[in-house]
């Protein structure tokens, strides 16, 4: 593995009260005692103070409620806390919401990322330059579009071909990040991840939706015939991958982080139902709750990530046992929602 390229000390994490961001903060506070974190989050529907309860070493974490589009606020935080590292998780991320109301996605994902980049460029240029600084953009495999049954998995050289307003807004943000490196020399890295699962995910997402429906005895909505395929990555593996790229990747590079774990939606739903059958046998079979609904507009059929580059160059690969951690995820949500 290559030598350390960047050592974070004072970090600004945006969107750190959300699903992946809060898990990343937990990882960093537990594993690196030299890092202090300012967490900037708008605390909209997807971000919650509850996701930040019982953080390890929480004295090194400060939550600031605010918008990444507020360039003055961002500039103040960069200066006041001598920020040397920005990790941008902040995003509108639900495809269905982007179809119903795309404007918020353009505002947050494109304009918000621009405001962060410009604030970093100005602040770091005026306080000693870019050495020892880094901007890490958290992106998605959805920027690559969709795959057919026999198509090779997405690699870092796959052209962008986004198909939803959400994916297009993330692609736009990624292009800005790349441009700020090429034009201004801003020290950036980008990661594209596959579908995540694990604790603290918003319940509108597929896996928490299925668990909640099973708990309540309500229909489990499955788009179309359920044949759409996604590559599933546990959030802990993803966060370790982010940390590896943040510290060891060369500036201006992008890496794909995937679970090498393709599952059709219907197969995944049936797996969750099987776990629920074991944990709540009085309501079995939970698969009887499956309800096929009208497909999503422009629904991408298959995503798959090729993570060979990050494995070969930086020594990261997903380690988690999908079956074990899927069951653990079901138990976590059952415990969280018990009695609600």
């Amino acid at each position: 593995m290559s030598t350390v390229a960047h050592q974070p000390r004072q970090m600004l994490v945006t969107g750190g009260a959300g699903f992946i961001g809060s898990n990343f903060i937990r990882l960093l506070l537990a594993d690196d005692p030299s890092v202090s974190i300012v967490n900037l989050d708008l605390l909209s529907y997807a971000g919650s103070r509850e996701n930040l309860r019982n953080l390890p070493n929480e004295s090194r974490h400060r939550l600031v409620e605010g918008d990444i589009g507020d360039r003055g606020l961002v500039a103040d935080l960069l200066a006041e806390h001598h920020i040397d590292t920005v990790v941008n998780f902040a995003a509108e991320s639900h495809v269905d919401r982007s179809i119903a109301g795309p404007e918020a996605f353009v505002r947050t994902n494109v304009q918000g990322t621009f405001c962060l980049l410009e604030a970093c460029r100005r602040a770091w240029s005026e306080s000693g330059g870019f050495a020892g600084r880094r901007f890490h953009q958290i992106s998605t495999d959805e920027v690559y579009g969709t795959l057919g049954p026999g198509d090779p998995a997405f690699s870092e050289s796959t052209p962008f071909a986004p198909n939803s307003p959400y994916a297009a807004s993330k692609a736009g943000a990624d292009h800005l990040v790349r441009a700020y490196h090429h034009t201004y020399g801003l020290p950036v890295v980008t990661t594209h991840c596959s579908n995540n699962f694990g604790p603290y995910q918003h319940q509108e997402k597929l896996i928490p939706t299925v668990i909640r429906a099973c708990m309540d005895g309500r229909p489990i909505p499955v788009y179309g015939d359920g044949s759409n395929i996604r590559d599933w990555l546990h959030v802990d593996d993803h966060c370790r991958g982010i940390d590896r790229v943040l510290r060891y990747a060369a500036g201006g590079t992008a890496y794909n982080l995937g679970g090498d774990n393709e599952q059709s939606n219907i197969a995944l739903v049936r797996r969750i139902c099987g776990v629920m059958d074991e944990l709540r046998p009085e309501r079995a079979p939970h698969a009887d709750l499956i309800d096929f609904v009208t497909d999503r507009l422009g629904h991408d059929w298959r995503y798959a990530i090729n993570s060979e580059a990050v494995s070969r160059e930086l020594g990261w690969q997903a380690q988690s046992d999908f079956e074990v951690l899927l069951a653990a995820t079901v138990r976590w949500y059952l415990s969280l929602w018990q009695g609600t």
Side-chain angles (χ1 to χ4, degrees):
M1 188 177 66
S2 58
T3 58
V4 173
H6 176 70
Q7 180 61 59
R9 289 289 184 265
Q10 299 295 125
M11 182 180 294
L12 175 65
V13 174
T14 68
F19 167 42
I20 304 173
S22 64
N23 277 283
F24 179 73
I25 287 173
R26 287 178 187 279
L27 171 76
L28 232 61
L29 291 176
D31 289 357
D32 189 344
S34 67
V35 173
S36 294
I37 297 172
V38 177
N39 178 3
L40 176 61
D41 198 296
L42 192 57
L43 295 177
S44 61
Y45 76 95
S48 170
R49 294 179 186 272
E50 291 297 305
N51 292 348
L52 301 168
R53 292 183 62 186
N54 302 316
L55 290 175
N57 303 303
E58 59 185 355
S59 63
R60 292 190 282 112
H61 170 264
R62 176 190 173 189
L63 175 64
V64 176
E65 184 175 354
D67 191 337
I68 62 170
D70 184 341
R71 199 183 306 177
L73 172 61
V74 174
D76 288 345
L77 293 175
L78 293 174
E80 177 185 351
H81 297 279
H82 308 286
I83 298 297
D84 57 51
T85 307
V86 174
V87 183
N88 182 30
F89 292 93
E92 295 283 347
S93 65
H94 196 260
V95 175
D96 287 349
R97 287 179 181 264
S98 81
I99 293 169
E103 183 176 356
F105 288 72
V106 175
R107 183 172 61 250
T108 298
N109 299 354
V110 181
Q111 183 68 21
T113 300
F114 164 72
C115 288
L116 286 174
L117 289 166
E118 186 63 9
C120 288
R121 182 179 75 86
R122 290 178 180 273
W124 291 342
S125 294
E126 295 167 1
S127 60
F130 295 154
R133 272 71 181 260
R134 178 149 286 195
F135 185 103
H136 189 142
Q137 172 73 358
I138 307 300
S139 191
T140 171
D141 57 1
E142 296 191 41
V143 299
Y144 297 123
T146 188
L147 295 169
D151 291 337
F154 301 131
S155 73
E156 289 80 1
S157 62
T158 301
F160 282 12
N163 290 320
S164 70
Y166 162 61
S169 68
K170 290 297 289 185
D174 293 353
H175 284 311
L176 281 171
V177 171
R178 182 181 186 277
Y180 265 67
H181 175 74
H182 181 78
T183 303
Y184 303 112
L186 195 74
V188 307
V189 289
T190 300
T191 48
H192 299 98
C193 70
S194 56
N195 281 45
N196 278 217
F197 72 103
Y200 303 103
Q201 190 169 28
H202 193 277
Q203 62 181 291
E204 71 184 358
K205 300 292 188 174
L206 176 60
I207 289 178
T209 292
V210 175
I211 298 168
R212 187 83 214 204
C214 287
M215 280 185 64
D216 297 343
R218 294 184 285 102
I220 301 169
V222 176
Y223 282 129
D225 61 3
S227 65
N228 302 76
I229 294 171
R230 300 293 182 263
D231 176 15
W232 289 93
L233 174 68
H234 192 269
V235 67
D236 287 348
D237 273 330
H238 183 202
C239 290
R240 284 189 285 268
I242 293 168
D243 190 53
R244 184 66 60 88
V245 172
L246 175 67
R247 295 171 189 269
Y248 293 98
T253 56
Y255 285 99
N256 288 346
L257 304 175
D260 193 23
N261 180 38
E262 293 183 56
Q263 304 276 335
S264 70
N265 287 348
I266 189 60
L268 176 63
V269 170
R270 292 189 184 279
R271 286 180 187 276
I272 297 169
C273 288
V275 175
M276 289 295 299
D277 288 347
E278 295 179 9
L279 298 176
R280 299 286 178 91
E282 69 277 7
R283 291 190 175 178
H286 289 83
D288 286 351
L289 297 170
I290 293 173
D291 180 29
F292 295 98
V293 300
T294 301
D295 206 357
R296 168 190 288 163
L297 293 173
H299 197 177
D300 288 342
W301 187 72
R302 174 177 167 243
Y303 302 145
I305 282 278
N306 181 333
S307 300
E308 291 178 3
V310 71
S311 176
R312 180 179 64 253
E313 297 171 17
L314 303 183
W316 175 89
Q317 60 183 5
Q319 300 291 329
S320 301
D321 184 306
F322 176 67
E323 299 289 346
V324 170
L325 286 182
L326 181 64
T329 298
V330 173
R331 289 193 295 270
W332 189 88
Y333 284 102
L334 288 179
S335 176
L336 178 69
W337 292 332
Q338 196 167 20
T340 64

